[in-house]
Every structure is written in C-alpha cells, then in structure tokens.
Amino acid sequence: VRLARAVMDHSPHVLLAGAGAEEFAREQGIELVDPDWFATEERWRQLQELKAKKLGWFDDGLKYGTVGAVACDSHGHVAAATSTGGLTGKRWNRIGDSPVIGAGTYADDRAGAVSCTGSGEQFIRAGVAHEICARMRLAGESAQGAADAVLAEVGTMRGVGGVIVVTPAGETVFAFTTPGMFRGRADHAGLYETGIFGMAGSKD
Ligand code: ASP
C-alpha cells in the first residue's frame, strides 16, 4: 500500500507492475523483501492440498487473505487501499482484482470508497468497486443496497466475496457472501466494532 501511495503521489501513473514497479519502489526508498518472506506454512499446506486433490487453480475453501481499508476524513474525502497475496494456486504473474482500480479498490468523493475481497476474476468482470459507487452516485442507491446488489451480481457468475464501504458522510457498510469476513470499524463518535460471522449490525 505504501508503494501504491508512492505511485499516486510521486508518478503520473495509476498502476505499475512487475520489474518496473520494483525499480520504482527502489527509487522511492521503499523496503523490498525476498519472495521467501511471504511464505507461510498454512499457504504451503493449502497449495499441496490443492495439488493433491486436483481441485484446479482455485483457492481450496476460498480462504482469502486480502486486507483492505477504507477511510473518510473530516472533510468528506474518502480513500481505499487493498493489499493481497492473491489466491493459492494462481498462475505466475496473474493479476487479481485488488490492485485494479474500479474492480477491487476504488474511491470517489462523490460516492464512497470501496475495498473488496473474494474471487478476483469475477470481481474484475463486474467492476465491483466502481459499480457500487456508480449505483450510489447515479441511481441514488444506499451504500448497503448497492453493495448487496453488486455482490448478488457477482454471485450470478459463481463468484463470492465481500466488500467494505465508507461514504463521504462517514457511513460504514459491510457486505459479504462468504460465511464470514474479518472486519472492524471505528468512528469519531466512539463506534468501535469488530466481527467475523453474521452481518453488520448483528451481534455475531
Ligand atoms: N481478491 C483476491 C484475488 O482474487 C483474493 C482475496 O480477496 O483474498 O486476488
């Protein structure tokens, strides 16, 4: 996310990838780590399980590992950030929805900021984050209504996942079609809440 921020602040571009992104990171003095740094026992186990069961390329059990944040400042400016390791079993150099602006991440002061997790290919096809903002901005839908409707659309493509949304008025919304989504929210009035299962507003 620090590197994405540097692309926004210190280049004329929106998206850099591969060797060019690494070179830019070095120029910006951003810490680079060896690919081994990202290795975890659990992901390795999942990959072996995926291969053994010949389940195809897709992440077994859809245990996503993406982290997203949306924020709104006191002037109603919104921002979104999403960081991911992608999906277990993906092809080398596969790009998912997370870095694709409008798919897994989007922020527009006229509607809201959105960060997504889920089956990236379907999120890209549905342009999820932008679609939620477009529904709010152009069709006057509520953040919850738009988020639910777009996730339902993703569902028609057999995609599942979740979104977090904040509006310029500071309203925070969650929606997900997976059994759970680790989440939390806080506001200036003292709201401080975390959840795993159930939906926003429930006590689960
Ligand atoms: N959306 C991510 C991807 O497809 C995966 C995730 O949310 O964990 O790369």
Side-chain angles (χ1 to χ4, degrees), residues 43 59 63-67 84-87 90 94-99 116-121 123:
R43 291 293 184 214
D59 190 6
K63 302 265 188 319
Y64 301 117
T66 295
V67 180
T84 191
L87 295 173
K90 70 190 175 189
R94 172 255 192 193
I95 293 177
D97 60 314
S98 308
C116 307
T117 181
S119 38
E121 276 64 17
F123 276 64

Side-chain angles (χ1 to χ4, degrees), residues 175-189:
F176 51 94
T177 52
T178 43
M181 181 173 79
F182 292 97
R183 59 196 187 276
R185 61 178 161 187
D187 71 14
H188 68 280

Side-chain angles (χ1 to χ4, degrees), residues 68-137:
V70 292
C72 173
D73 72 10
S74 56
H75 302 289
H77 297 307
V78 293
T82 313
S83 176
T84 191
L87 295 173
T88 300
K90 70 190 175 189
R91 261 194 97 91
W92 189 66
N93 264 8
R94 172 255 192 193
I95 293 177
D97 60 314
S98 308
V100 176
I101 303 304
T105 308
Y106 194 66
D108 181 347
D109 280 353
R110 299 169 301 175
V114 182
S115 179
C116 307
T117 181
S119 38
E121 276 64 17
Q122 287 86 347
F123 276 64
I124 293 175
R125 289 188 181 107
V128 168
H130 183 272
E131 183 74 2
I132 290 172
C133 289
R135 280 173 170 262
M136 292 164 67
R137 181 164 61 88

Side-chain angles (χ1 to χ4, degrees), residues 20-88:
E22 287 188 1
E23 186 182 280
F24 181 74
R26 263 181 232 107
E27 283 167 21
Q28 293 295 314
I30 288 174
E31 185 192 2
L32 289 171
V33 293
D34 197 79
D36 287 352
W37 188 87
F38 295 101
T40 67
E41 281 285 316
E42 178 55 13
R43 291 293 184 214
W44 180 252
R45 193 199 58 72
Q46 280 180 8
L47 181 62
Q48 300 317 312
E49 192 180 317
L50 193 88
K51 284 181 171 170
K53 289 187 186 162
K54 300 200 184 346
L55 291 172
W57 67 272
F58 214 64
D59 190 6
D60 179 29
L62 304 177
K63 302 265 188 319
Y64 301 117
T66 295
V67 180
V70 292
C72 173
D73 72 10
S74 56
H75 302 289
H77 297 307
V78 293
T82 313
S83 176
T84 191
L87 295 173
T88 300

Side-chain angles (χ1 to χ4, degrees), residues 132 135-137 139-149 165 167 171 173:
I132 290 172
R135 280 173 170 262
M136 292 164 67
R137 181 164 61 88
E141 290 183 20
S142 68
Q144 190 72 61
D148 290 341
V165 186
T167 68
E171 183 195 3
V173 160

